[in-house]
């Protein structure tokens, strides 16, 4: 047979290439030459989950009532802990029974969200550069992404006024994400207010990915989208415990906000998954309710890394703005290089892996992303090698 028996569905054939695939291949080739590679590519925290959270999981493991199917939308205790945390952190009240849902990591919820609201041919407003899931989830739901470019001159906020009227009226969902991955930009209250106004005018459901609200520096406290008047009428916010408590492997997050949108997402999920292992939910409850000193400590560690890298990169001749939040640096590619060219240059000459900005979407061209997810010594080594590389 000249054709494989297994023919992939169109939705898979329409997938853009996996962001890290090309980098992984080049990395493997350089590694095979015996180079000690420093990977600043993937944003996966290197720090362990705090011990009190591990203890809560261990205790929950021994209780057989946790071994059974969990509730689809999350244990009430978990949703109450979320509501309490939300109120303490943002001063926003959400009803645990109707306005909170557990997720198997926020990626899972974000990926399923368009299935709940988007019909074939519906438009979805998607930022670019961005976390790839917004566009791909739209594709999987049969929707069409309309790209909102994030440009430096606008502080990496989308220009809502430039969205054509006919696009706005045919859009069902808008994705936004602040503090932002990959640009590390933050949003002002005014921006969120404009989003609410726009969403109300065109009946668009806003999906705010808030994975990095807790990871902010110099005392800065990012806003929740739901802190803006009217936001709960138009949107939902996705949160993750992954970055805040170094729990990427545990797979737990939550969505809060508009009860109809939460219920629609719940109806998709209850037909696909069966909720989050209760022992993991107990660990998450401990994370949200327990001492938040571990979050302060995490911020201190990343802030130190940020300062070290920003200074080193500048000495190496790179242009970079110190981020107010997230563990990413969004670095300008020097004149004469493309994002891909610079990435390859740094890998070949310095053994340092970074992510090319255009990998997050064409408007990311001209930048590369550094993840501060290695310890100080490795970061110092990386930046010292980068200084040796001729630009
Ligand atoms: C890490 C990340 C997520 C996913 O987090 P999980 O809860 O681990 O699924 C979502 N959005 C952005 C922008 C991220 O960087």
């Amino acid at each position: 047979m000249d054709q494989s028996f297994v023919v992939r569905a169109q939705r898979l054939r329409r997938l853009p290439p996996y962001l890290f695939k090309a980098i992984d291949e080049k990395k493997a080739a350089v590694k095979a030459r015996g180079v000690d590679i420093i990977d600043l590519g993937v944003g996966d925290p290197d720090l362990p989950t705090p011990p009190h959270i591990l203890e809560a999981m261990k205790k929950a493991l021994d209780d057989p009532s946790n071994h059974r199917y969990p509730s689809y939308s999350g244990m009430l205790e978990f949703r109450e802990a979320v509501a309490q945390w939300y109120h303490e952190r943002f001063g926003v009240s959400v009803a645990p029974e109707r306005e909170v849902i557990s997720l198997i990591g926020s990626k899972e919820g974000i990926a399923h969200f368009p299935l709940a609201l988007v019909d074939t041919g519906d438009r979805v407003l998607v930022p670019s550069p961005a976390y790839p899931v917004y566009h791909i989830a739209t594709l999987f739901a049969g929707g069409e992404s309309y790209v909102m470019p994030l440009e430096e001159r606008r502080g990496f906020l989308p220009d809502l006024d430039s969205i054509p009227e006919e696009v706005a009226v045919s859009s069902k969902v808008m994705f936004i994400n602040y503090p932002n991955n990959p640009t590390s930009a933050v949003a002002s209250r005014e921006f969120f207010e404009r989003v609410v106004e726009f969403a109300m005018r065109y009946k668009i459901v806003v999906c705010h990915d808030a994975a990095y609200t807790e990871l902010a520096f110099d005392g800065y406290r990012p806003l929740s989208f739901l802190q803006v008047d009217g936001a709960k009428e138009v949107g939902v916010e996705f949160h993750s415990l992954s970055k805040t408590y170094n729990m990427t492997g545990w797979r737990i997050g939550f969505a809060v906000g508009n009860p109809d949108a939460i219920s629609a997402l719940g109806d998709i999920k209850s037909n696909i998954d069966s909720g989050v292992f209760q022992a993991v939910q107990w660990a998450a409850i401990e994370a949200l309710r327990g001492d938040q000193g571990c979050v302060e400590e995490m911020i201190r560690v990343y802030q130190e890394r940020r300062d070290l890298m920003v200074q080193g990169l500048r000495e190496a001749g790179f242009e970079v703005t110190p981020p107010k939040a997230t563990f990413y640096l969004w670095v300008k590619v020097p004149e004469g290089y493309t994002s891909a060219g610079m990435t390859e240059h740094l890998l070949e000459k310095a053994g340092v892996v970074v992510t090319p900005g255009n990998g997050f979407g064409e408007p990311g061209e001209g930048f590369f992303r550094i993840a501060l997810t290695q310890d100080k010594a490795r970061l110092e080594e990386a930046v010292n090698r980068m200084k040796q590389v001729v630009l």
Side-chain angles (χ1 to χ4, degrees):
M1 275 197 288
D2 49 356
Q3 210 197 342
S4 164
F5 180 79
V6 176
V7 179
R8 290 181 159 224
Q10 284 294 351
R11 72 177 64 82
L12 282 184
R13 286 187 269 161
R14 283 174 73 193
L15 271 185
Y18 174 59
L19 171 57
F20 292 100
K21 186 166 176 270
I23 303 165
D24 284 348
E25 284 166 8
K26 285 197 190 103
K27 202 171 99 180
V30 174
K31 207 172 188 161
R33 300 202 314 248
V35 176
D36 164 33
I37 285 179
I38 304 177
D39 194 341
L40 310 180
V42 190
D44 187 359
D46 58 309
L47 303 164
T49 307
H52 64 289
I53 300 173
L54 300 183
E55 284 311 316
M57 170 77 164
K58 287 175 192 170
K59 211 172 109 207
L61 267 183
D62 286 332
D63 179 352
S65 71
N66 290 327
H67 300 170
R68 310 190 62 187
Y69 280 123
S71 89
Y72 290 129
S73 49
M75 297 158 64
L76 189 58
E77 290 94 331
F78 172 73
R79 288 179 286 147
E80 282 168 352
V82 166
Q84 188 190 344
W85 177 83
Y86 225 75
H87 191 259
E88 280 166 14
R89 170 65 179 88
F90 300 115
V92 172
S93 297
V94 288
E97 305 81 8
R98 297 175 302 116
E99 296 176 339
V100 181
I101 188 170
S102 65
L103 302 171
I104 310 170
S106 66
K107 180 182 187 177
E108 177 268 307
I110 293 165
H112 282 139
F113 195 66
L115 281 185
L117 297 184
V118 174
D119 284 312
T120 306
D122 284 346
R123 279 209 175 90
V124 175
L125 304 173
V126 174
S128 178
Y131 187 57
V133 181
Y134 316 138
H135 168 60
I136 291 170
T138 299
L139 269 185
F140 282 179
E144 303 284 341
S145 295
Y146 178 85
V147 171
M148 303 187 291
L150 305 185
E151 294 170 329
E152 188 181 25
R153 64 194 170 99
R154 296 186 180 278
F156 301 107
L157 300 172
D159 179 13
L160 302 179
D161 296 333
S162 76
I163 298 169
E165 182 80 14
E166 77 268 18
V167 170
V169 296
S170 61
S171 294
K172 277 295 231 350
V173 171
M174 175 195 288
F175 281 103
I176 49 173
N177 162 225
Y178 294 97
N180 184 258
N181 174 9
T183 68
S184 72
V186 298
S188 60
R189 181 180 287 272
E190 294 69 48
F191 171 70
F192 283 155
E193 284 168 354
R194 272 184 277 133
V195 170
V196 170
E197 195 190 313
F198 185 87
M200 283 192 171
R201 187 169 353 132
Y202 295 109
K203 295 194 165 39
I204 295 169
V205 176
V206 176
C207 173
H208 182 231
D209 179 355
Y212 294 96
T213 54
E214 303 319 292
L215 215 173
F217 307 119
D218 309 312
Y220 172 65
R221 300 287 268 162
L223 287 176
S224 159
F225 177 65
L226 298 186
Q227 276 173 280
V228 168
D229 284 345
K232 210 199 278 176
E233 274 99 277
V234 301
V236 290
E237 185 158 84
F238 288 80
H239 280 265
S240 169
L241 282 87
S242 290
K243 317 289 165 49
T244 310
Y245 302 101
N246 303 317
M247 291 176 77
T248 48
W250 295 63
R251 310 316 302 136
I252 184 154
F254 53 89
V256 297
N258 182 287
D260 297 326
I262 295 291
S263 148
L265 175 60
D267 285 351
I268 293 289
K269 282 173 56 57
S270 64
N271 285 288
I272 293 180
D273 66 68
S274 299
V276 177
F277 181 28
Q278 286 198 13
V280 171
Q281 294 191 55
W282 283 115
I285 291 167
E286 176 59 29
L288 293 170
R289 289 219 156 121
D291 187 357
Q292 300 301 299
C294 58
V295 181
E296 284 165 37
E297 172 58 16
M298 168 203 63
I299 289 170
R300 193 194 61 73
V301 168
Y302 285 124
Q303 188 165 319
E304 200 174 65
R305 293 176 182 180
R306 175 200 66 170
D307 294 344
L308 176 152
M309 281 306 274
V310 166
Q311 195 194 333
L313 285 165
R314 284 176 170 171
E315 283 164 13
F318 291 97
E319 200 182 320
V320 56
T321 308
K324 286 203 180 87
T326 79
F327 50 47
Y328 301 112
L329 302 181
W330 189 237
V331 188
K332 265 225 179 103
V333 167
E335 198 104 23
Y337 287 95
T338 60
S339 291
M342 191 70 234
T343 304
E344 205 166 323
H345 191 61
L346 289 174
L347 178 57
E348 289 286 337
K349 300 284 191 282
V352 173
V353 176
V354 302
T355 312
N358 64 318
F360 299 98
E362 213 32 61
E365 178 56 49
F367 291 86
F368 63 88
R369 191 192 74 175
I370 282 181
L372 300 170
T373 48
Q374 298 275 356
D375 66 26
K376 247 172 92 181
R378 288 298 271 174
L379 288 174
E380 242 157 32
E381 166 74 17
V383 85
N384 284 336
R385 290 192 205 166
M386 287 168 82
K387 285 178 192 167
Q388 313 295 318
V389 169
V390 186
L391 296 180

